Amino acid sequence: MLRFKRPDLKKEKIATLVIPVCEDEDIHAHRSISAFVKKAKELEEFSGKKEDELLFYDFPGTNIRRIIFMGLGKKEKLEPEVLRVFAGKAVKYCIKKKLPDILIAAPSETKCGTDMRDILESLMEGACLGNHIYDAYKKEKKHSPLKEISLFVNAQTAGKYKDLPSRTEIICAGTVLAREWVSMPANDKIPEKFADSIAQQAEKAGLSVRILNEKELEKQHFGALLAVARGSNAAPRFLILRYRAEGAEKHLALVGKGVTFDSGGLNLKISGSMSGMKTDMAGAAAVAGAVIAAGKLKPSLNITGLIPLVENMPSGTATRPGDVIRSYDGKTVEIGNTDAEGRLILIDAIAYAIRNEKPDMLIDLATLTGACVVALGDKIAGVFSPDAQLSEAIIASGRKTHERCWPMPLPDDYKELLKSDIADTSNMSSSKWGGAITAALFLSSFVKDTRWAHIDIAGPASSEKGNAYCGPGGSGFGVRLLCHLMENI
Ligand code: BES
Ligand code: MG
Ligand code: ZN
């Protein structure tokens, strides 16, 4: 669906050509494209400012039915994200007009002063992700995605980056899987069903898959995970996805929080805060999407995805505030609040991963706290790690993919907020402040010596309104970041 193309602009029949334009400088090297831009800028209503749009039909001297010019603003502000947004908008425009395909004129490396790989990657990502429509539950499908997205580049560029279209498709497909899982209503993704859905995709990608059911989880003493699952009629699952690379020297474990619905349990959420809680499995979705992408990208390290899946519900069998449970690790936990359930399923997954998989590094992704959204808003994730190098690598991958992360502290002296009088620890802080930090500190005490980072994605995992290359609902946040990280760590 994504490809490079080089039609003759003067002769060949082209349905839709989209040209990005800067207001201050020409960013194109192809003479005809530059000439088209010059012509467009002769009109008063178009100068290439951000949001500027201009449409030409049957451009003279060509066989091009439509040329759409889209303003990018000033050249000095031309970051990869500007190109992602542009490409997403261009594709969405064509979808709305029911056009079947698009040809996007890629700007020139030298004229932009940006690395060509970055230019192409961001255009393709924005276009491919902008082409995703989530209409699984609509009877009438109002719009269809474009069948073909092409980038207009010269032959040398097409040759040099020939691996890029298929790579980008793989990463975007992983992102789209995660988006759809997050947007899926909770009644269709109870742990058993969600596990099967992930397993099906994982097997297609050549991964080895293991699913532990409730009986096995009991036998292996996943006490914290089972304590959360008890309140629901839906049985829990624990999913292990393995990607193995020949001659691998490193092993990365990825753990994703998979609460398929978080009602809060007996500490029931009030209705306003409960309404979005079908998305509380976004960490699981991101890990699954990324490991599935890894199966096709084939990075040179081993990756194991560990995904605890539960539904957090109130009932006569639900865990009570004040109960004490024994975690997989052996440590006991007093339940200060049944709504702090994510950290409970994560400590069992983390302890299992460390004991049985012995990874060199472990990263968990979780929609863990509302406090993290208060701190960083709904577009930036918090990164917590005692390992500066790992934390910096994650933040760098976040910068590259525009899945933004910000470093957060793990202060030793806050640990006393998690003390319990009767158990080894409490899942609830005694302070109402710093909730994202105390949640991360709770996890840290189950990690031991393994290199570890926790990413709180409660904010960016989903979005009510969506943006230029993501519709409303699940964002797939984390998949692109993890794909970049696994090839650069
Ligand atoms: N799933 C929530 C966190 C969350 C909140 C995600 C808002 C997305 C948006 C988590 O399980 C939770 O309920 N956390 C509590 C913890 C508290 C009880 C210590 C919270 O953040 O209020
Ligand atoms: Mg909760
Ligand atoms: Zn939760």
Side-chain angles (χ1 to χ4, degrees):
M1 188 204 57
L2 274 179
R3 55 184 184 134
F4 293 129
K5 229 172 158 178
R6 191 66 170 177
D8 183 335
L9 295 180
K10 295 222 173 82
K11 292 190 194 125
E12 271 180 71
K13 207 170 155 182
I14 295 166
T16 312
L17 171 65
V18 185
I19 304 177
V21 180
C22 277
E23 62 180 289
D24 45 357
E25 280 180 57
D26 181 12
I27 52 170
H28 295 277
H30 191 279
R31 275 173 54 201
S32 303
I33 301 271
S34 293
F36 299 162
V37 171
K38 204 165 157 228
K39 196 99 192 133
K41 281 191 171 177
E42 280 170 12
L43 291 164
E44 295 79 42
E45 65 265 43
F46 185 84
S47 63
K49 284 210 189 71
K50 252 197 178 131
E51 318 294 330
D52 264 8
E53 262 176 40
L54 184 68
L55 171 59
F56 269 102
Y57 288 107
D58 302 317
F59 204 87
T62 73
N63 214 345
I64 308 174
R65 185 76 179 106
R66 311 166 189 80
I67 303 184
I68 304 160
F69 298 89
M70 289 186 154
L72 301 181
K74 292 218 160 63
K75 199 192 94 170
E76 59 169 23
K77 296 224 168 125
L78 193 56
E79 293 162 9
E81 180 64 5
V82 173
L83 294 175
R84 256 182 231 111
V85 167
F86 151 73
K89 272 193 195 159
V91 164
K92 286 204 163 141
Y93 178 96
C94 294
I95 291 174
K96 217 166 123 198
K97 302 283 182 200
K98 305 205 180 297
L99 305 170
D101 52 36
I102 187 172
L103 176 64
I104 298 174
S108 128
E109 179 169 35
T110 35
K111 292 213 169 161
C112 287
T114 313
D115 181 55
M116 198 62 194
R117 178 173 283 272
D118 287 347
I119 293 178
L120 299 173
E121 222 163 36
S122 35
L123 287 175
M124 286 189 195
E125 274 178 12
C128 197
L129 292 172
N131 200 27
H132 169 235
I133 302 168
Y134 185 62
D135 58 4
Y137 290 85
K138 296 272 192 197
K139 184 168 173 214
E140 188 196 346
K141 319 282 182 199
K142 270 204 195 125
H143 295 290
S144 328
L146 305 185
K147 295 206 171 59
E148 208 178 282
I149 296 167
S150 311
L151 292 197
F152 185 77
V153 297
N154 64 34
Q156 194 198 348
T157 302
K160 188 166 170 196
Y161 299 102
K162 63 176 184 304
D163 61 317
L164 216 48
S166 64
R167 279 182 48 83
T168 310
E169 274 182 18
I170 291 168
I171 294 167
C172 292
T175 305
V176 164
L177 272 178
R179 281 184 183 179
E180 299 212 340
W181 277 322
V182 173
S183 295
M184 183 182 277
N187 56 328
D188 276 346
K189 60 179 175 197
I190 58 166
E192 179 191 355
K193 278 197 182 175
F194 187 23
D196 289 345
S197 175
I198 295 173
Q200 197 191 347
Q201 297 294 334
E203 273 159 14
K204 269 205 272 178
L207 306 177
S208 87
V209 181
R210 213 174 139 212
I211 303 180
L212 305 187
N213 62 22
E214 195 170 17
K215 271 219 178 77
E216 286 158 304
L217 293 169
E218 274 162 14
K219 215 166 86 192
Q220 295 199 45
H221 306 289
F222 281 74
L225 185 156
L226 289 164
V228 180
R230 290 178 57 140
S232 171
N233 286 338
R237 290 289 186 272
F238 186 65
L239 197 67
I240 304 166
L241 307 176
R242 288 201 177 82
Y243 163 75
R244 292 295 174 264
E246 222 171 286
E249 282 169 11
K250 284 185 198 151
H251 182 187
L252 169 66
L254 297 173
V255 174
K257 170 178 171 182
V259 177
T260 62
F261 186 74
D262 181 12
S263 70
L266 288 173
N267 292 105
L268 200 63
K269 287 180 185 292
I270 53 164
S271 62
S273 1
M274 200 192 296
S275 60
M277 282 302 140
K278 67 169 183 182
T279 66
D280 209 18
M281 34 52 74
V287 166
V291 186
I292 288 166
K296 304 173 193 167
L297 292 171
K298 307 206 184 301
S300 60
L301 77 175
N302 289 339
I303 304 175
T304 305
L306 301 115
I307 303 178
L309 298 172
V310 297
E311 187 179 45
N312 187 25
M313 297 292 261
S315 77
T317 58
T319 293
R320 294 158 282 253
D323 284 0
V324 174
I325 55 100
R326 186 178 299 277
S327 68
Y328 183 91
D329 169 79
K331 265 207 279 248
T332 57
V333 182
E334 182 179 4
I335 306 301
N337 190 317
T338 61
D339 199 9
E341 84 298 338
R343 62 195 79 182
L344 294 173
I345 69 169
L346 289 174
I347 57 169
D348 275 5
I350 289 170
Y352 177 93
I354 291 174
R355 188 186 300 169
N356 302 287
E357 299 291 330
K358 302 183 178 60
D360 304 302
M361 294 163 276
L362 188 152
I363 301 171
D364 75 79
L365 280 82
T367 47
L368 203 60
T369 65
C372 201
V373 193
V374 173
L376 297 174
D378 62 1
K379 291 180 178 166
I380 301 176
V383 178
F384 301 79
S385 179
D387 185 317
Q389 219 186 335
L390 183 57
S391 167
E392 193 34 60
I394 291 168
I395 289 159
S397 291
R399 209 178 292 128
K400 189 85 185 167
T401 53
H402 204 69
E403 294 193 325
R404 288 169 289 175
C405 295
W406 199 256
M408 301 284 277
L410 287 168
D412 251 336
D413 56 336
Y414 283 25
K415 279 187 183 158
E416 66 183 70
L417 299 172
L418 293 164
K419 279 197 176 136
S420 156
D421 289 337
I422 60 168
D424 296 327
T425 184
S426 166
N427 76 332
M428 179 73 185
S429 168
S430 56
S431 163
K432 65 176 178 181
W433 308 116
I437 296 171
T438 45
L441 283 171
F442 179 82
L443 301 180
S444 76
S445 65
F446 292 82
V447 176
K448 305 202 173 103
D449 300 333
T450 307
R451 297 182 68 191
W452 161 76
H454 156 62
I455 312 180
D456 194 330
I457 61 169
S462 63
S463 134
E464 250 169 68
K465 286 203 200 115
N467 61 33
Y469 56 94
C470 181
S475 64
F477 185 98
V479 175
R480 289 188 298 118
L481 184 155
L482 290 174
C483 286
H484 185 269
L485 187 71
M486 62 178 88
E487 294 189 315
N488 291 278
I489 204 165

